[in-house]
Structure formats: C-alpha cells, structure tokens
Amino acid sequence: MKKRKLILEDGSVYEGYAFGSDNYQVGELVFNTGMSGYQEVLSDLSYCGQIVMMTYPMIGNYGINRDDFESLDPAVFGFVVRECCEMPSNFRSDLTLDEFLKLKNIPGIYGVDTRSITRKLRSSGTMRAIMADEDANVEEVVQMLKETELMHDQVARVSTQKPFPIPARGRKVVLMDFGAKHGIIRELSRRHCDLIVVPYNTSAESILALHPDGVMLSNGPGDPKDMVEAIEAIRELMGKVVVFGICLGHQLISLANGANTVKLKFGHRGCNHPVLNLETGKVEMTSQNHGYAVEMESLKNTDLVMTHQALNDKSVEGVRHAKYPVFSVQYHPEAAPGPEDSNYLFDQFMELMEKENG
C-alpha cells in the first residue's frame, strides 16, 4: 500500500494511504456529513476547487453506477475518507471508488482520522490543503499553501460554454447554468418543461429574447460576489419573468436585491440538515452544499421576505420577493443525494408560471 499525506495550511499533517490518481492540487478542505451519496457528492460541480472529506467512516461500499451522476466531469480536487471499500456489493455497481477516481484523475487518501480533521475544521474553519507523497517536504508544502490564493473562476470552469435545448412540450424554462446538478434538469424534465440551458454569463436581454415562462438559477461553486454579470442579469429579469433560484442561485437573487452574503466558518454540506418552513411551520430535512450564506440582517432594507430558516444555526435558507414572482432556497430541493421533503418547490415554480403566463 502506497502511503500518502494530507497537509493543511496550519501545518497539520495526516498520514494515510493512497488511492485514486496522483493529480495533487491545492484546494479548500471541506467536510460532508452524509452517510451515503458519495457518487453524487463527487460529481456535484459545486465542489469545484475543493478537497472533500466524508465524515461517515465507510465509503465506497456500493461502488459507482451509471445512474447517479450529477455531472459527467467532476471538479473536486481530492477525496478524503476513513475507510475505502475495495470490494463493493451492489447489483448496480460498475466501478469501484478507486477505479472511478483514477478514471477522473482525482487523488484520494484513506486511513486518516476524519473525526479529528472534522473537529479541527469546525473549530478553525475550512482551510487550504493538498495531498502529497510520503517523502514531501512538509515545511515547503505548508509555505506554498499559505501563499496560494484560492480560485475565483470556478463557475466559468464548470458552466456550459454554449446554450443547448432539452426539448419538451410544456412550459419553456431557461436554466442559467452556474454548475447545475443533473437532478435539477431531471425534476424540470419530469414536469415536461421545454428547457434551454444557457451559460452563466448570458445577458437578461438574450434570455428574454427566448420568451421563457420561467428562469431557473442553478447551484454552483465559489463566492457569489464574484458573479457580477449574473447579479446584473437577475436584477433585469425580476418583474419580467418567474425566477426560481437554488443554492448559488439563491445567493445571487439576494445580492441582486441589495442583501449581503457572508462566508460561513465551515459551511453546510450533507443530506441531513433540518430547515423550518416559516410559512407552513413544517420542518424539512434537506440536502445542502454551500460555504456562503445570506446575511439575515441585510434582508431588512430589501423587498425580500425570509421563508425558510436553518434550525442548526438559524441562517437564512429561503426568500421570496414581496412584489415579483421570484423565490429561492439555499438548499437542494432536487436532493441527489438526500431526502425529497422539499420537492414541492418545483411544483410551486410550475404553479407560479401557470399563474403569471396563463
């Protein structure tokens, strides 16, 4: 077994064993609390530029299958697990986790104390990290980590470069692709939406020229404040078309309305986050993946009304516009992985389009 190190910018070193590729890259080390769904996590483009660590100890036990991808080209910079299963047992399994990571050129490390690393990130916040060979000079690597600036062009890396249609005979929906999960497309397609997927920097004028019934703003990676073009486009779209935002889309709607976003200490990543629907009083278990959140205080001087709130830390989880047919949530109603408690939000989107367009 080949040894490998995980080195953090605070000088911490965790020794384990290598799997996957040797394509070492500096990334932001984050943790995901899901007990399953590692295939969806690995292929979620919102993790672009990040090294993902799973807190659940056994990963890979049901292999990798052809059906559960959220993108075809994963953008994670590394994968950290306590135990990597080499012999998966599942009738749908096509590849082992190790085979998949090698195929997609993603480095992995197992045999490290993921509980200890999680406690460190919870107390100190997310930090830069990189994997390295066992003979790497730790001092040099730590210095390099401290001098490396995390990327700000993640959305440009993962968004589609050209518009493309997914034809159907229902409502015409333009999906702004900031790193969209396939689950969002699946949910809209189930509702027979006539979809057009467009790049992240498409102008409001170009979108309105398509005469859509609604616009969907997808999830995606990075700091929402980097998305200046998209914020301006959303500002112009509001009041002219129904708009529904998910995750990064939610943050962009908030910024377009004058609210503020802040970086969380260690983010929300997992499929077991309780959220209170303030309009119904019901608690929904949700799937989440974000490192930024809308600042609650900043909503006061806007036309946005908070509709959902996280029960763990009371952060903003959903908003709607007081005047326009515009709403958004911070979590993932399409799940994948996770519970489907919030799937009704796609139906609300359809109902709003019906109401506004007749």
Side-chain angles (χ1 to χ4, degrees):
M1 292 185 293
K2 180 183 174 183
K3 289 188 176 180
R4 180 170 284 174
K5 289 177 178 175
L6 176 67
I7 303 173
L8 280 54
E9 67 176 285
D10 69 348
S12 303
V13 180
Y14 297 89
E15 294 194 1
Y17 299 97
F19 72 114
S21 80
D22 296 327
N23 181 30
Y24 305 141
Q25 298 183 79
V26 176
E28 181 185 28
L29 181 63
V30 300
F31 62 87
N32 183 295
T33 57
M35 295 174 68
S36 62
Y38 54 83
Q39 179 172 338
E40 294 93 328
V41 168
L42 278 166
S43 56
D44 182 349
L45 296 176
S46 292
Y47 285 112
C48 178
Q50 295 177 325
I51 296 173
V52 181
M53 178 178 65
M54 302 298 291
T55 61
Y56 191 70
M58 166 66 86
I59 300 296
N61 50 315
Y62 54 85
I64 300 288
N65 66 72
R66 70 175 192 174
D67 301 318
D68 292 340
F69 290 109
E70 289 304 306
S71 71
L72 297 179
D73 291 304
V76 296
F77 278 11
F79 201 49
V80 183
V81 300
R82 178 74 184 93
E83 184 178 347
C84 174
C85 179
E86 296 178 1
M87 297 179 66
S89 177
N90 187 285
F91 72 96
R92 293 198 302 155
S93 177
D94 299 311
L95 295 169
T96 67
L97 179 58
D98 178 43
E99 288 169 341
F100 175 71
L101 292 187
K102 282 186 170 71
L103 183 68
K104 295 300 182 179
N105 204 22
I106 300 167
I109 185 171
Y110 71 93
V112 294
D113 188 346
T114 52
R115 182 178 176 84
S116 170
I117 303 171
T118 302
R119 289 170 66 92
K120 177 184 287 290
L121 297 181
R122 282 180 61 89
S123 61
S124 302
T126 60
M127 58 182 80
R128 299 176 189 86
I130 192 170
M131 292 178 208
D133 294 329
E134 63 173 324
D135 59 354
N137 185 312
V138 173
E139 288 184 4
E140 289 181 4
V141 172
V142 171
Q143 187 61 34
M144 181 268 293
L145 287 172
K146 290 178 178 178
E147 294 171 355
T148 301
E149 184 179 352
L150 293 174
M151 63 175 65
H152 289 274
D153 65 341
Q154 297 100 311
V155 170
R157 292 180 180 222
V158 299
S159 173
T160 182
Q161 299 303 304
K162 294 181 179 178
F164 65 91
I166 304 175
R169 295 190 177 275
R171 291 290 175 186
K172 183 179 284 288
V173 174
V174 171
L175 172 60
M176 289 191 77
D177 177 17
F178 304 121
K181 291 169 64 182
H182 286 178
I184 294 173
I185 294 174
R186 281 194 293 269
E187 290 301 329
L188 293 172
S189 295
R190 278 176 189 158
R191 290 161 177 83
H192 310 293
C193 290
D194 183 15
L195 275 174
I196 301 176
V197 183
V198 300
Y200 73 99
N201 54 357
T202 305
S203 68
E205 183 182 12
S206 298
I207 290 171
L208 293 171
L210 297 168
H211 303 289
D213 297 310
V215 175
M216 169 70 77
L217 309 176
S218 84
N219 63 291
D223 185 343
K225 289 179 180 175
D226 291 334
M227 304 295 296
V228 178
E229 292 169 297
I231 293 168
E232 183 55 40
I234 293 163
R235 205 172 278 139
E236 293 178 32
L237 289 169
M238 290 189 306
K240 297 173 183 172
V241 66
V242 178
V243 181
F244 177 22
I246 291 174
C247 202
L248 180 61
H250 159 77
Q251 296 161 8
L252 294 174
I253 284 175
S254 299
L255 288 171
N257 280 278
N260 186 40
T261 55
V262 293
K263 185 165 187 181
L264 298 169
K265 191 173 183 180
F266 48 82
H268 299 163
R269 297 174 182 88
C271 45
N272 42 16
H273 290 256
V275 167
L276 175 63
N277 184 326
L278 298 172
E279 299 185 328
T280 65
K282 291 183 178 180
V283 174
E284 304 164 14
M285 295 305 292
T286 67
S287 181
Q288 304 207 7
N289 174 17
H290 62 103
Y292 292 81
V294 175
E295 191 175 40
M296 190 184 300
E297 285 293 307
S298 71
L299 291 175
K300 288 182 178 177
N301 300 317
T302 72
D303 288 321
L304 297 178
V305 178
M306 184 166 74
T307 57
H308 297 76
Q309 186 174 33
L311 291 180
N312 287 339
D313 62 5
K314 306 303 180 185
S315 60
V316 179
E317 288 286 345
V319 296
R320 64 174 171 80
H321 201 282
K323 301 174 184 174
Y324 302 137
V326 175
F327 71 109
S328 62
V329 289
Q330 179 62 80
Y331 51 91
H332 290 268
E334 81 285 354
E340 297 181 351
D341 299 23
S342 307
N343 202 262
Y344 68 89
L345 290 164
F346 288 99
D347 295 326
Q348 284 188 6
F349 182 44
M350 300 300 295
E351 289 163 10
L352 260 182
M353 288 191 288
E354 193 75 30
K355 178 183 174 185
E356 294 295 321
N357 299 288

